[in-house]
Amino acid sequence: MLEPLFKIQSTVAMVLGLALLATTVFAFVDALRHREDAYRAAGKMTKPRWLLITGLAAVFALLVVQRPLGLFGIIAVVAAGVYLADVRPALQQVESRRGGSSHRPW
């Protein structure tokens, strides 16, 4: 009787886990592509620190892909969220002022 509910629950958890993994990998790759001096100009931590934080977040997300709602999943989503919501926009703003952004409006 409860088996269909467990199947739905595990499917939802897997979808959340894959979304978490994709988000953390995106944050890590994005942290890689920005120049070191852009981090300093934006007033953020250094590039190696953000690479470590987002890289560990991606590893944690990979480890908890089937159960993303545990402690390591929460740590991963917070780390990637801080990078994507705070650091990435600041880096883009600094790089667009310097004319060094790879994002060109068409």
Side-chain angles (χ1 to χ4, degrees):
M1 179 168 167
L2 293 176
E3 188 173 324
L5 292 177
F6 291 136
K7 188 157 183 75
I8 292 170
Q9 181 182 7
S10 65
T11 302
V12 169
M14 181 60 83
V15 169
L16 287 175
L18 291 173
L20 174 61
L21 181 61
T23 302
T24 56
V25 169
F26 175 78
F28 178 73
V29 170
D30 190 73
L32 270 174
R33 69 176 198 83
H34 293 286
R35 298 184 323 263
E36 169 65 37
D37 63 329
Y39 287 85
R40 283 183 268 126
K44 303 299 176 187
M45 287 190 294
T46 63
K47 182 176 182 172
R49 284 186 182 177
W50 277 111
L51 288 175
L52 178 65
I53 291 168
T54 56
L56 285 175
V59 170
F60 287 170
L62 182 61
L63 293 175
V64 299
V65 74
Q66 292 183 333
R67 297 187 184 272
L69 300 178
L71 178 63
F72 289 119
I74 293 169
I75 291 170
V77 77
V78 168
V82 168
Y83 176 82
L84 293 172
D86 182 45
V87 179
R88 184 173 189 252
L91 294 173
Q92 289 175 331
Q93 186 177 25
V94 164
E95 289 180 347
S96 69
R97 280 187 294 190
R98 293 183 177 184
S101 177
S102 62
H103 301 286
R104 307 257 191 260
W106 298 105

